[in-house]
Amino acid sequence: MSAALKRVQGELAAASVHAASHEDGNVAVIVEGLTRRFGDGPAVLDRLDLAIAPGEFVALLGHSGSGKSTLLRTLAGIDPVVEGAVSRPREVSVVFQEHRLLPWKRVWENVVLGQEGKDGRDRAAAILEEVGLAHRIDAWPLTLSGGEAQRAALARALVREPGFLLLDEPFAALDALTRLKMQGLVGELWKRRRCAVLLVTHDVDEALLLADRAVVLERGRIRVDMPVALERPRKHVDPVFEDKRETLLKSLGVSL
Amino acid sequence: MHYRRALNVEIGARNMSETLISIASRGRSQGASGRITLRELGRFRRYLSPLLLVAVWQAACASGFVSTRLVASPWQIAQTAASLIADGTLTSNLGVSLLRAGAGFSIAAVVGVTLALFSGLSRVGEDLVDAPLQIMRTLPALALVPLFILWFGIGETPKVLLVALGATFPIYLNLHKGVRSIDPKLLEMTRTLGLSRLDTIRNVILPGALPDLLIGVRYAVGVSWLMLVVAEQVNAESGIGHMMMDAEDFLRTDIIMVGLLVYGVLGLLSDQIVRFLEAKLLVWRPLARGATR
């Protein structure tokens, strides 16, 4: 099968998944006509529509000021919905660029922060095992490396068994090697848990490595909404990968 | 010759880089055991100059260069301290002073923490509490002594309240700052986790403000002693300050100096207690952990 044919088929498949989810009403996240402006300035989000299916991994790209952060904050429930409508699962978790662990609580206490029940430590232990941080269960956050801290933050997000996971440039502050490992880990965890994911990132390669769909935001509107129907694990050498990479970069104003 | 080289190396190591230290330890492994005591001596070098000062002081008094009527000699002070302890004067006065400082500081802790939390955690509280406190803290508390004596007489009340007043401000100011300077990103995170306001205060705001509170406590302890000195030197019938004022009437510089010594030791001890608390309560800080190890 030629690469081009494979690609078309892949896109068709992705598109049908997308449509089916709409028909079933089986959608994890729906954003309709979301508009947000600060003061009298231009709209940061401009009548934005976006739907994410359960278990779908969506990457959100865009320049600084494109409205990525505002969209993420609205979906996370940190910013209010002023104009338009947002529906999302009850359990939503966020991993930020900074780990945002409480330095005065041990790793496991951070993981189950706000969780009820006495088996907190056991639950934390199980999830820390899953993210590969079981050996630091009693550590103080300030003694963790950047990658370890981000693993703990990921554990804290997953212990709530979210229907929707928001990742706000979670690997941006990590060194290149740690970032690769973390990307692999997130891919693994998603494969196992199948929650809907919105990954905000600047990194086109990261988006293509992980996501089912790449969405490019520009001045508060969706400029590109591209399915990435590549088989996993994905390889950079794949010509389709390269092709999609160029498309995304071009839509971000970078020509090679 | 071995000995002299090692000495030079030791001095160099103390002042310079780690490379020199490693040379020093290599030198030691080659040489005799006598050098270890030399190294231990180095640690006591810090105490050398104070001891020297005391020795000079003693010599000056003994030779008549300084009048012992104006400055008691160290030996005399030691003897006086012993006799004051023996006849119970020092201990009973110290007890009274400690009680006053303790009572005043406790009031300050309760009032300062309550006000700081009220104004730190709510806008209304900030508007109601912060402005008057910021204005009042610019007043030197000691200027209130005459007013306090008029209001509360010369009993225990004005002394305790003076200590309380002085110690309230550092506790209030530091805790208020601590509460207000909690990283907003952490607060945002707790909102995404769905923590209630009460849980957020308990898990994030209070532990986050604890380091600042302890800084405030340290200042407050220092201020407590300062206020106590003044309060006890004006119209008191007991306490270390009173003991010193009494001694002034009889030109007993030795007793005055014993009083000074006691104040010094009290200040040092209370500072150590707060440091100990910091090390215990802030174990999560890498610095604090290093210090306790």
Side-chain angles (χ1 to χ4, degrees):
Chain A
M1 202 192 304
S2 78
L5 186 60
K6 205 166 154 188
R7 180 171 121 217
V8 169
Q9 280 184 339
E11 283 180 0
L12 277 174
S16 62
V17 164
H18 199 58
S21 65
H22 273 291
E23 277 158 20
D24 298 346
N26 183 18
V27 191
V29 181
I30 315 174
V31 178
E32 274 175 324
L34 184 65
T35 300
R36 188 82 207 273
R37 61 181 84 237
F38 297 105
D40 293 331
V44 181
L45 294 176
D46 187 6
R47 285 162 291 156
L48 187 95
D49 296 320
L50 181 70
I52 301 175
E56 190 182 19
F57 198 129
V58 176
L60 184 65
L61 296 134
H63 288 286
S64 320
S66 60
K68 292 195 310 275
S69 302
T70 311
L71 178 57
L72 180 123
R73 292 173 60 87
T74 310
L75 287 172
I78 303 168
D79 279 6
V81 179
V82 181
E83 208 181 319
V86 169
S87 105
R88 45 168 223 169
R90 218 169 51 84
E91 285 301 326
V92 176
S93 289
V94 193
V95 178
F96 296 96
Q97 182 178 339
E98 324 82 17
H99 53 77
R100 302 198 188 184
L101 300 169
L102 301 176
W104 43 84
K105 291 205 177 280
R106 293 180 190 276
V107 165
W108 75 267
E109 293 171 312
N110 264 289
V111 169
V112 290
L113 182 66
Q115 295 285 96
E116 313 241 312
K118 280 188 180 152
D119 57 339
R121 206 188 133 91
D122 294 337
R123 296 184 57 199
I127 200 86
L128 284 169
E129 179 78 50
E130 208 177 330
V131 300
L133 201 64
H135 58 297
R136 303 305 306 269
I137 183 166
D138 286 320
W140 296 108
L142 291 182
T143 65
L144 299 179
S145 70
E148 286 174 335
Q150 217 49 331
R151 279 170 200 263
L154 205 54
R156 179 180 61 194
L158 291 177
V159 82
R160 274 143 248 276
E161 303 195 338
F164 183 35
L165 178 63
L166 285 155
L167 304 173
D168 186 7
E169 301 187 38
F171 317 125
L174 302 176
D175 67 83
L177 292 175
T178 311
R179 189 181 309 146
L180 283 179
K181 275 190 213 161
M182 289 297 286
Q183 286 168 349
L185 176 68
V186 165
E188 278 296 308
L189 290 170
W190 171 73
K191 215 162 79 187
R192 219 173 302 150
R193 299 187 163 245
R194 286 289 165 180
C195 54
V197 178
L198 183 72
L199 167 71
V200 173
T201 180
H202 274 115
D203 186 344
V204 169
D205 285 343
E206 185 173 292
L208 290 173
L209 205 63
L210 291 168
D212 295 319
R213 221 166 100 210
V215 174
V216 178
L217 215 58
E218 193 181 275
R219 280 185 233 108
R221 312 208 60 166
I222 291 176
R223 174 167 170 181
V224 174
D225 188 342
M226 182 181 75
V228 188
L230 293 167
E231 266 174 46
R232 292 181 167 90
R234 293 170 175 168
K235 302 244 167 16
H236 289 73
V237 288
D238 190 333
V240 185
F241 192 104
E242 192 48 43
D243 193 48
K244 297 217 176 257
R245 187 164 178 268
E246 256 170 59
T247 314
L248 283 181
L249 283 173
K250 209 190 274 170
S251 69
L252 288 163
V254 183
S255 49
L256 296 172
Chain B
M1 187 234 143
H2 245 105
Y3 180 83
R4 208 165 65 205
R5 195 186 68 199
L7 179 70
N8 287 338
V9 171
E10 287 288 342
I11 292 166
R14 256 187 71 86
N15 298 333
M16 284 171 230
S17 67
E18 271 180 66
T19 19
L20 280 173
I21 290 173
S22 70
I23 293 170
S25 50
R26 201 181 60 200
R28 183 170 357 125
S29 65
Q30 290 170 351
S33 59
R35 245 163 257 144
I36 293 165
T37 50
L38 195 76
R39 198 183 159 80
E40 278 167 356
L41 256 179
R43 241 186 289 151
F44 293 107
R45 224 175 306 176
R46 273 176 65 80
Y47 304 100
L48 215 64
S49 49
L51 284 175
L52 203 70
L53 271 174
V54 172
V56 169
W57 176 7
Q58 178 69 43
C61 287
S63 65
F65 183 70
V66 175
S67 157
T68 45
R69 289 176 70 85
L70 294 179
V71 182
S73 76
W75 178 239
Q76 212 180 334
I77 294 171
Q79 278 179 317
T80 308
S83 72
L84 284 175
I85 291 170
D87 69 7
T89 318
L90 184 62
T91 22
S92 68
N93 281 318
L94 181 61
V96 171
S97 288
L98 277 174
L99 215 61
R100 284 175 187 150
F105 177 81
S106 305
I107 295 175
V110 172
V111 173
V113 167
T114 309
L115 289 178
L117 289 183
F118 183 47
S119 83
L121 294 175
S122 76
R123 285 278 153 214
V124 184
E126 168 120 44
D127 292 344
L128 284 177
V129 171
D130 198 51
L133 268 151
Q134 296 287 352
I135 294 168
M136 272 165 64
R137 92 185 164 98
T138 59
L139 275 179
L142 293 177
L144 292 171
V145 170
L147 206 56
F148 268 44
I149 289 174
L150 280 180
W151 286 349
F152 306 111
I154 55 168
E156 290 303 303
T157 321
K159 298 174 185 66
V160 171
L161 285 185
L162 208 60
V163 172
L165 182 77
T168 299
F169 292 108
I171 291 180
Y172 170 83
L173 293 171
N174 281 285
L175 181 55
H176 179 258
K177 184 200 128 224
V179 170
R180 284 287 151 157
S181 57
I182 296 282
D183 186 355
K185 286 181 170 174
L186 290 182
L187 296 175
E188 209 174 81
M189 182 274 298
T190 55
R191 275 177 64 196
T192 69
L193 294 185
L195 253 68
S196 66
R197 176 76 179 147
L198 194 71
D199 274 343
T200 305
I201 291 173
R202 223 165 37 122
N203 290 309
V204 186
I205 296 179
L206 294 186
L210 191 60
D212 286 298
L213 174 64
L214 286 172
I215 291 174
V217 165
R218 217 148 116 190
Y219 276 114
V221 168
V223 170
S224 293
W225 294 124
L226 181 72
M227 302 302 278
L228 192 71
V229 171
V230 177
E232 287 188 338
Q233 293 190 356
V234 181
N235 276 316
E237 273 144 21
S238 56
I240 298 293
H242 163 75
M243 188 185 84
M244 290 164 72
M245 290 312 281
D246 231 24
E248 186 197 335
D249 294 341
F250 301 100
L251 289 174
R252 291 288 302 271
T253 53
D254 53 340
I255 298 185
I256 295 178
M257 288 192 161
V258 170
L260 287 176
L261 201 69
V262 170
Y263 278 135
V265 170
L266 285 178
L268 208 67
L269 276 181
S270 45
D271 203 58
Q272 287 297 319
I273 292 173
V274 182
R275 271 170 196 273
F276 173 77
L277 277 179
E278 280 183 346
K280 280 279 155 220
L281 294 173
L282 308 179
V283 275
W284 49 270
R285 292 203 300 199
L287 251 177
R289 248 198 345 278
T292 50
R293 249 178 217 163

